[in-house]
C-alpha cells in the first residue's frame, strides 16, 4: 500500500484524479468506551481461525497393506484354502422362517413416572434422575427387540452350538449357504409380503451364527440363499464352510464381471 503526503493528494486532485477515501473504523464515544462500572472496556477478542490438522498419510495405506499389531490399514484374508470342518444342520420349525425384525425404541414410561415423583417439581432433579450415573446417557428411552425375533434367534443359536460342539469360532473367510423352506405349493415362489425379504431372513441366521460359528459376520464372503415352498414343510437348512479359491467360480459371477470389463 502506497502512502502519499497531503500536498501530493491536492496535486492529484487538481489534475482531475478521483480520490476515494477508505472508510476507517468509526470513532467510539467516551460513553461507549466505558462499561457499566465506568471502567474502560476491554478490546473484543478476535477469534482465531481454526486450522485443519495435517492429514496422516498412514490412514490411506493401500488395500493390500498388511496390518500389524497397533498399526493401521485393512486386514484382509488371502484367497487360499483354510482348515475348517464344515457344519451343517436342518431346523424343522412350527412356523415359517422368520425375518430379522428391527428393534423398536419407545419411551421408558415407568422410569419417567418415577422421575416425576422423585423430582417433586424440580426440573434439574427430574433430568438427573433420567441419566445413567455411570455413562451420563439418558434412560428416558429403551430399545426392545420383538419377542418373536428373540425366541427365533435363540432357537437358531442352540442348533449352531450343537453343530459346533467344542470347536472355537472360525477366524477366517466363510461361505454360508441357506435354504428357507416355507409352507406352500411347490409351483409357487414365496413372494408374499408375509413370507419375508430374503435379506432379512438371512440376517436372522447370520446373527445367530455370529461369534459361535465364526468370530464376526464380516468373515462372510459368499452367501448363496434360496426361498422355496413345500406343502406342510417349514424350516431352515444351514451350511457353513471355509471359503476357497474354487468358490470364485460361484455362479460364474467373476467371469461375467471380467467379460463386461470393456462394456
Amino acid at each position: 500500500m502506497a502512502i502519499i503526503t497531503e500536498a501530493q493528494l491536492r496535486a492529484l486532485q487538481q489534475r482531475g484524479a478521483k480520490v476515494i477515501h477508505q472508510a476507517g473504523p468509526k470513532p467510539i464515544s467516551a460513553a461507549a468506551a466505558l462499561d457499566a462500572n465506568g471502567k474502560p472496556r476491554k478490546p473484543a477478542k478476535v477469534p482465531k481461525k481454526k486450522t485443519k490438522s495435517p492429514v496422516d498419510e498412514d490412514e490411506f495405506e493401500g488395500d493390500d497393506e498388511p496390518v500389524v499389531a497397533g498399526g493401521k490399514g485393512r486386514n484382509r484374508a488371502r484367497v487360499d484354502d483354510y482348515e475348517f470342518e464344515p457344519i451343517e444342520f436342518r431346523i424343522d420349525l412350527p412356523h415359517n422362517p422368520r425375518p430379522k425384525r428391527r428393534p423398536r425404541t419407545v419411551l421408558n414410561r415407568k422410569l419417567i413416572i418415577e422421575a416425576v415423583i422423585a423430582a417433586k417439581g424440580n426440573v434439574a432433579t427430574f433430568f438427573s434422575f433420567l441419566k445413567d450415573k455411570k455413562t451420563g446417557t439418558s434412560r428416558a428411552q429403551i430399545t426392545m427387540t420383538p419377542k418373536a425375533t428373540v425366541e427365533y434367534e435363540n432357537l437358531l443359536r442352540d442348533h449352531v452350538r450343537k453343530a459346533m460342539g467344542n470347536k472355537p469360532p472360525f477366524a477366517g473367510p466363510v461361505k454360508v449357504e441357506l435354504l428357507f423352506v416355507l409352507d406352500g405349493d411347490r409351483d409357487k415362489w414365496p413372494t408374499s409380503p408375509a413370507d419375508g425379504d430374503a435379506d432379512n431372513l438371512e440376517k436372522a441366521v447370520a446373527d445367530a451364527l455370529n461369534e459361535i460359528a465364526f468370530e464376526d459376520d464380516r468373515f462372510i464372503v459368499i452367501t448363496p440363499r434360496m426361498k422355496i415352498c413345500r406343502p406342510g414343510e417349514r424350516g431352515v437348512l444351514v451350511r457353513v464352510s471355509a471359503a476357497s479359491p474354487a468358490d470364485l467360480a460361484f455362479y460364474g459371477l467373476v467371469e461375467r464381471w471380467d467379460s463386461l470389463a470393456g462394456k
Side-chain angles (χ1 to χ4, degrees):
M1 181 178 65
I3 300 175
I4 61 176
T5 63
E6 188 176 348
Q8 291 173 328
L9 176 61
R10 286 197 299 269
L12 288 172
Q13 289 175 326
Q14 290 174 357
R15 294 176 186 175
K18 186 176 180 181
V19 179
I20 300 175
H21 296 276
Q22 291 184 341
K26 295 181 179 180
I28 302 175
S29 64
L34 301 177
D35 60 17
N37 298 323
K39 296 181 180 180
R41 293 182 184 274
K42 292 182 179 180
K45 292 183 179 180
V46 179
K48 295 181 179 180
K49 291 184 179 180
K50 293 183 179 179
T51 56
K52 294 183 178 180
S53 57
V55 177
D56 185 356
E57 293 181 357
D58 291 336
E59 287 189 48
F60 301 93
E61 295 179 33
D63 289 349
D64 56 349
E65 290 289 337
V67 170
V68 295
K72 297 178 180 179
R74 291 184 175 138
N75 186 9
R76 288 178 171 170
R78 187 179 299 277
V79 177
D80 204 345
D81 288 310
Y82 294 87
E83 293 185 5
F84 174 67
E85 184 179 351
I87 64 168
E88 183 176 277
F89 57 90
R90 167 179 166 171
I91 308 176
D92 292 304
L93 297 168
H95 51 73
N96 282 334
R98 290 174 176 170
K100 177 81 174 184
R101 299 295 183 189
R102 294 180 180 178
R104 294 179 302 153
T105 300
V106 297
L107 288 176
N108 191 343
R109 295 182 180 276
K110 182 180 178 181
L111 183 66
I112 291 174
I113 292 172
E114 292 176 357
V116 170
I117 297 172
K120 296 180 180 179
N122 189 309
V123 177
T125 303
F126 172 78
F127 283 108
S128 64
F129 191 89
L130 295 178
K131 282 188 178 181
D132 187 288
K133 293 181 180 179
K134 291 184 179 179
T135 63
T137 57
S138 175
R139 300 183 296 160
Q141 293 180 324
I142 53 176
T143 301
M144 300 184 301
T145 301
K147 183 180 178 181
T149 298
V150 174
E151 293 175 347
Y152 179 54
E153 290 187 355
N154 287 338
L155 176 64
L156 293 172
R157 288 191 184 94
D158 288 341
H159 282 77
V160 177
R161 291 189 183 96
K162 291 178 182 177
M164 287 294 293
N166 296 323
K167 292 184 293 185
F170 181 57
V174 295
K175 175 171 65 175
V176 179
E177 300 168 86
L178 302 171
L179 175 65
F180 299 101
V181 181
L182 294 86
D183 186 14
D185 297 333
R186 289 174 179 263
D187 60 350
K188 301 287 185 180
W189 287 112
T191 55
S192 166
D195 295 331
D197 297 341
D199 55 345
N200 290 329
L201 289 168
E202 178 186 329
K203 180 62 176 172
V205 178
D207 285 352
L209 293 166
N210 193 25
E211 298 182 353
I212 303 176
F214 39 78
E215 288 189 355
D216 194 279
D217 51 13
R218 63 186 170 85
F219 284 114
I220 302 176
V221 294
I222 302 173
T223 55
R225 69 192 181 198
M226 188 183 299
K227 290 195 302 180
I228 62 171
C229 290
R230 289 291 185 272
E233 298 181 33
R234 298 176 291 268
V236 184
L237 174 67
V238 181
R239 178 180 171 83
V240 182
S241 58
S244 72
D247 290 319
L248 292 176
F250 172 63
Y251 289 152
L253 291 176
V254 177
E255 288 78 2
R256 294 211 292 274
W257 168 267
D258 292 335
S259 67
L260 295 172
K263 189 174 180 180

